[in-house]
Structures are given as C-alpha cells and as structure tokens.
Amino acid sequence: MNKKLLTGGLIIAGIILLAVGIATGGASDVLNKAIRICYECVGIG
Amino acid sequence: MKIGRRRLTQVIAAVLYNCNFTGFASGSIYKGELKNACVPGLNCYSCPGAVGSCPLGSLQQSLVSSKYRVPYYMLGMILLLGALLGRFVCGFLCPFGLLQELLYKIPTKKIKKGKWSRALSYVKYVVLAVFVMVIPLASAVPGFCKYICPQGIIEGAIPLAIADGDVRAMLGKLFSFKLVIAVIIIVAAVFIFRVFCRFICPLGAIYSFFNRVSVARMEVDEAKCTHCKACVRFCKMDIKKVGDAECIQCGECAGVCEACAIARKPLTVKKGEILTKE
C-alpha cells in the first residue's frame, strides 16, 4: 500500500477518534485522572 | 561546552513537560486544563511539575474504565502521535530517554549490543500486552504504572514524598518494590545504552508499530545505499535496518554514511552532521 496513503489514513483515523472521544467525554476522563495523585504510579497502591 | 540539537530538544521537552515549578516546592500537582492532553513521551502525571498527562497512564486508565466508555479519546491520541511522530518521540521528546542517555555517559565499561539484546528487544511487546492491556482490562488495575514504571517513582513518588509528609507516611511495600525496579533500571542504564527503551518500554513498543509510516521517519535511499552496514554497526539500538521498529530516529547514523543514503523525513540530515555532541 502507498506509504503516504497509509500515513494519511492513520492521521485522519486518529483525528476522528479524538473528536469522538472529546464528544463522549474521554478528554475529561483523562483530566479527572491526571489532576489527582496516581496512587499506583507513586507506589502507594 | 556545546550541546547538540537533539540533546537541546530533549532538555527543552523535559522542561516543558514539567514546567509547573511551584509544584515541587508545595508537593502538589498541577490541576489545570492542559492535562486534558497527553505529552508524547513517558512522563508521570503525578510529577509535581507535570503540566500534561502521561499517554501510557491515560491509556491504561481508559482501558480500566472501558466497560463504561469506549476509549476513543486515548486511542485517537495514541494513533495521532504514532502516525505523526513514531519513535521520534523516543529519540527527541522523552525525558526518561534523556535521563538514560546521560547515565550512559558515565565513563565505565559498556555492555555492547548483540544477539542477546536483539532477543530481549521483543520483551517490551510482552510488557505492552500483559501490563498495559491484559491487566487493566482483566483486573481494572493500571498494571504498568503500578508494578513497573520507574518514572512514577523518580518523577512522582520521590518529589512528592520529599515535599509532603502525608505522602511520605503512606509509602509502603509497593513503593519499596518499585523503587528497587527503578534503581535496577538506573544502574543498568549506566552500562547498557537505553536499557529501558530497548527492552521494557511499552510506549516505545506502541510507537514502533508506526515507525516506518510516521510523518517523522528515517529513510534509506536504496539507489545510493552500498549495503556496507556501517549505519547498523554504528547504531547503539538493536536495529536491523535504519528506520525499522527499533530505530529511535536520532539520525546519528547519517553522519557515518559515506554514500549519503540516509535521510530524515520530512526534514533532512546533512552528511557528517552529528545531532548529539558527545
């Protein structure tokens, strides 16, 4: 398959998924996790 | 002392990822809107300085909660970063890659790559499958963050524990276990080039799937290439060919290619140009 076509397709798919994710609240899920100390990350449990 | 373009980019990226400087003094993490987005490299979002989210931590969390919501956002984020940058992220934009390269500069006898390291380079795909996908989906636990990630200890636990007595009081066996892993990786990085990136990092494993087709990539002009393999011998990663899944796009091989057959896409690397001054 043409490499440029594949790259373009992946970028477009990424943008579409990102847009759907934002519309369905995925971005706020990421934010809500990231603004609290991650106990698993720092080794508390 | 002169600093190469790549090293400068690595340092700038590390500082920009962690520019909430007041957090280090107060022992609190940044809670602003920038954390809606992920930084490209491995950078713990529980670091007091972090102003963006960790792509690997966020991916695991989205898989943990995937029975409530399909993780379109994180899949899109990873797909977009991978398609645009590939393992350019590893070579230029990862703070833990920078730390390992600096540790490798400590003058000691080094362990060179070989068949053993080539074989171990596949372990990161097992780590990706088991700790980033299976454990979060099956046990609702971010397996890589909880059991392996050294960045959580170096960037998260240690600065938070120094500044905040409450956090310090909560640290227990899991912290000790992860601290041992982090120390082993740090010591190994003195002797083995980018030991974590080559053998363990699941984020590098994800980006490696995109490395041949990403917008940022290394390419060999087959018409010019003499197949002398000087590039493969010079490279400290476990590549079989420039631009393959193990290539972190540092571009240093372009400096040793007599045939000028290696090029960075979309930008070029001139013959003889060394991007990282030793």
Side-chain angles (χ1 to χ4, degrees):
Chain A
M1 190 193 286
N2 185 310
K3 200 180 264 190
K4 282 183 181 169
L5 204 64
L6 183 58
T7 308
L10 288 170
I11 291 172
I12 291 167
I15 292 170
I16 291 170
L17 283 170
L18 209 57
V20 173
I22 291 168
T24 56
S28 50
D29 283 352
V30 168
L31 178 68
N32 286 334
K33 175 65 188 170
I35 60 173
R36 292 175 176 84
I37 291 175
C38 167
Y39 289 124
E40 293 92 352
C41 302
V42 300
I44 291 172
Chain B
M1 187 180 73
K2 277 183 125 182
I3 184 166
R5 257 196 311 173
R6 187 168 76 88
R7 185 73 75 232
L8 188 62
T9 311
Q10 287 176 303
V11 171
I12 290 171
V15 173
L16 284 179
Y17 290 0
N18 298 293
C19 60
N20 179 43
F21 304 120
T22 55
F24 290 103
S26 63
S28 58
I29 64 172
Y30 170 76
K31 296 184 177 178
E33 294 289 318
L34 285 174
K35 278 192 169 173
N36 270 309
C38 296
V39 296
L42 189 69
N43 194 78
C44 186
Y45 44 25
S46 288
C47 172
V51 293
S53 291
C54 171
L56 213 49
S58 301
L59 178 64
Q60 288 169 89
Q61 286 300 338
S62 67
L63 292 175
V64 164
S65 53
S66 60
K67 57 184 160 188
Y68 308 110
R69 202 196 301 272
V70 181
Y72 294 118
Y73 182 73
M74 276 316 301
L75 292 176
M77 184 76 74
I78 295 283
L79 199 56
L80 199 56
L81 287 172
L84 288 173
L85 299 169
R87 292 199 76 179
F88 178 88
V89 175
C90 308
F92 284 78
L93 304 174
C94 183
F96 201 55
L98 169 65
L99 174 65
Q100 289 172 88
E101 287 190 7
L102 295 177
L103 288 167
Y104 192 73
K105 281 180 167 291
I106 294 172
T108 56
K109 195 173 165 71
K110 306 297 179 186
I111 300 171
K112 302 293 179 192
K113 67 179 181 180
K115 281 182 182 170
W116 67 274
S117 60
R118 181 78 205 165
L120 283 179
S121 69
Y122 294 103
V123 171
K124 61 180 173 286
Y125 297 101
V126 178
V127 174
L128 171 65
V130 175
F131 288 89
V132 177
M133 299 171 87
V134 174
I135 293 178
L137 285 170
S139 310
V141 167
F144 180 76
C145 290
K146 184 167 183 177
Y147 301 115
I148 299 177
C149 186
Q151 280 289 68
I153 296 296
I154 297 166
E155 288 188 331
I158 292 173
L160 285 172
I162 289 170
D164 187 337
D166 292 339
V167 172
R168 201 159 52 239
M170 283 191 282
L171 300 179
K173 283 182 183 170
L174 184 61
F175 169 77
S176 304
F177 172 75
K178 284 192 68 184
L179 182 63
V180 169
I181 289 182
V183 170
I184 290 170
I185 290 169
I186 286 170
V187 172
V190 175
F191 302 98
I192 304 170
F193 183 72
R194 279 183 173 251
V195 63
F196 178 80
C197 311
R198 286 162 70 191
F199 309 142
I200 303 168
C201 184
L203 190 57
I206 291 172
Y207 290 141
S208 76
F209 296 129
F210 300 93
N211 214 25
R212 291 182 187 85
V213 296
S214 54
V215 174
R217 63 181 185 274
M218 299 301 296
E219 277 195 354
V220 178
D221 185 340
E222 292 297 337
K224 290 181 182 173
C225 179
T226 59
H227 303 283
C228 67
K229 296 276 182 187
C231 49
V232 175
R233 285 194 302 274
F234 181 74
C235 180
K236 293 193 276 291
M237 298 295 286
D238 297 289
I239 63 165
K240 285 180 179 165
K241 187 185 170 188
V242 171
D244 70 9
E246 296 303 316
C247 173
I248 56 168
Q249 303 188 27
C250 67
E252 291 179 17
C253 52
V256 297
C257 181
E258 293 293 329
C260 301
I262 300 170
R264 175 186 301 287
K265 302 289 181 179
L267 303 169
T268 56
V269 181
K270 292 174 192 151
K271 185 185 178 303
E273 181 180 14
I274 303 292
L275 294 179
T276 311
K277 295 265 192 300
E278 293 301 328

